[in-house]
Amino acid sequence: MARLYGNKEDLEYDKVKSFFDNRYNKGLEDDLQIGIYENKESAKKRNQEQGKLMLETIDFTDKKVLEIGCGGGRFVEFIHDKCSAYLGIDYTESHIESANKNYHFDNCKFQVMSAVDILIDELLVKPPFDVVLISQVLLFINDDDLTELMYVINEITNEDKQIFITETTAHDSRLTLKDFYSDNLEDDYNAIYRTKKEFLNFFNKLKCNKVDTYDMFMDMNTHEDSHVISYVLR
Ligand SMILES: C[S@@+](CC[C@H](N)C(=O)[O-])C[C@H]1O[C@@H](n2cnc3c(N)ncnc32)[C@H](O)[C@@H]1O
């Protein structure tokens, strides 16, 4: 169990994946609607704040949307009546099952697929996409794969794409948690908390002209060394 500051340590993906599978097995599947936050009330508030910002900053009208790491698919509630098509991919089978069980919108599809191995020809909604959404997923992806993901996003999006990314962001120094037991989550947790500067270096590769950043959930933040930021690129 370790908290590693500064070092570029890779995560072991099988451990990250089993964390998500275990959550479902523990009967926490309802929480998938709202992420993995500490309690349902604050999760609901975060969901509303995030959804509101997403709708204020991204034009979904008749757009084709790809969400990477969609979890239980909660974002479709906000956008299903605006976008022309939505595809949510996630590598955790049980999350995709849950999304399919809960949301039945004709223009929204969910698919099991890894963000580090996007099989472009197999996507259930064909590229190019106009909008890409990512929320609390990049912290589970190692640097090399994250660079590759930026290139794949470029390959499957239009030139005038809009991208909405929400990630917990470290204040001063990158922090990698390895087999770190979290009381809140009641399991070992593996994740990389990157700084804003690091994220912006990755997002530079996305061929967007502009990035706006929004500090999120500040009244609910219990961490001294990190907070959540939404990055809106276009
Ligand atoms: C913290 S949850 C967030 C879920 C959803 N985006 C939300 O905000 O409610 C992280 C999600 O990322 C998914 N995930 C993590 N690594 C992934 C990868 N390499 N490929 C696809 N999905 C991944 C997990 O299965 C999980 O559903």
Side-chain angles (χ1 to χ4, degrees), residues 7-218:
N7 297 345
K8 294 205 171 165
E9 285 278 338
D10 272 356
L11 303 175
E12 291 173 56
Y13 283 148
D14 53 339
K15 289 185 175 172
V16 179
K17 177 81 164 54
S18 70
F19 168 82
F20 289 108
D21 291 333
N22 287 344
R23 268 185 81 68
Y24 195 82
N25 294 336
K26 280 184 188 168
L28 294 169
E29 68 270 32
D30 283 350
D31 289 0
L32 295 175
Q33 309 310 310
I34 44 183
I36 55 171
Y37 298 113
E38 60 277 15
N39 70 58
K40 286 204 174 186
E41 201 188 318
S42 74
K44 222 174 176 176
K45 275 177 73 183
R46 287 172 193 254
N47 185 43
Q48 279 161 0
E49 185 179 325
Q50 197 181 11
K52 184 167 177 282
L53 179 70
M54 200 167 70
L55 293 180
E56 281 168 5
T57 54
I58 301 288
D59 175 14
F60 286 100
T61 317
D62 298 329
K63 300 289 193 268
K64 224 191 241 191
V65 181
L66 174 69
E67 182 174 0
I68 298 172
C70 63
R74 66 191 169 102
F75 280 171
V76 297
E77 298 250 32
F78 296 105
I79 62 171
H80 71 91
D81 55 349
K82 298 172 184 62
C83 62
S84 64
Y86 164 98
L87 175 64
I89 62 166
D90 198 293
Y91 70 175
T92 305
E93 290 84 353
S94 53
H95 295 197
I96 294 298
E97 266 171 40
S98 166
N100 274 322
K101 194 176 81 196
N102 288 313
Y103 299 113
H104 303 276
F105 302 117
D106 287 344
N107 59 342
C108 299
K109 291 189 165 67
F110 302 99
Q111 182 173 12
V112 177
M113 193 178 285
S114 173
V116 303
D117 187 18
I118 293 184
L119 306 171
I120 297 175
D121 292 340
E122 292 181 22
L123 290 169
L124 292 179
V125 173
K126 295 294 159 218
F129 294 93
D130 307 297
V131 177
V132 175
L133 307 175
I134 303 174
S135 168
Q136 300 287 23
V137 180
L138 304 184
L139 70 168
F140 305 113
I141 296 182
N142 291 325
D143 281 20
D144 288 352
D145 290 324
L146 188 47
T147 299
E148 181 59 27
L149 179 59
M150 300 295 107
Y151 295 133
V152 173
I153 290 175
N154 284 335
E155 205 179 323
I156 58 176
T157 47
N158 282 320
E159 252 181 45
D160 58 350
K161 60 186 168 275
Q162 307 168 79
I163 303 183
F164 185 92
I165 299 173
T166 302
E167 289 289 324
T168 302
T169 303
H171 292 162
D172 301 319
S173 174
R174 175 189 175 108
L175 167 64
T176 307
L177 298 184
K178 287 201 127 178
D179 300 333
F180 187 79
Y181 187 79
S182 157
D183 289 331
N184 276 345
L185 303 169
E186 294 174 348
D187 203 349
D188 279 347
Y189 193 56
N190 290 271
I192 302 169
Y193 295 98
R194 298 181 171 91
T195 62
K196 186 171 176 177
K197 193 173 160 204
E198 283 181 288
F199 275 125
L200 293 175
N201 274 337
F202 284 107
F203 301 159
N204 258 339
K205 299 176 174 59
L206 285 170
K207 292 191 188 158
C208 290
N209 298 320
K210 191 169 182 276
V211 50
D212 293 310
T213 62
Y214 300 84
D215 296 328
M216 307 289 295
F217 320 134
M218 294 309 275

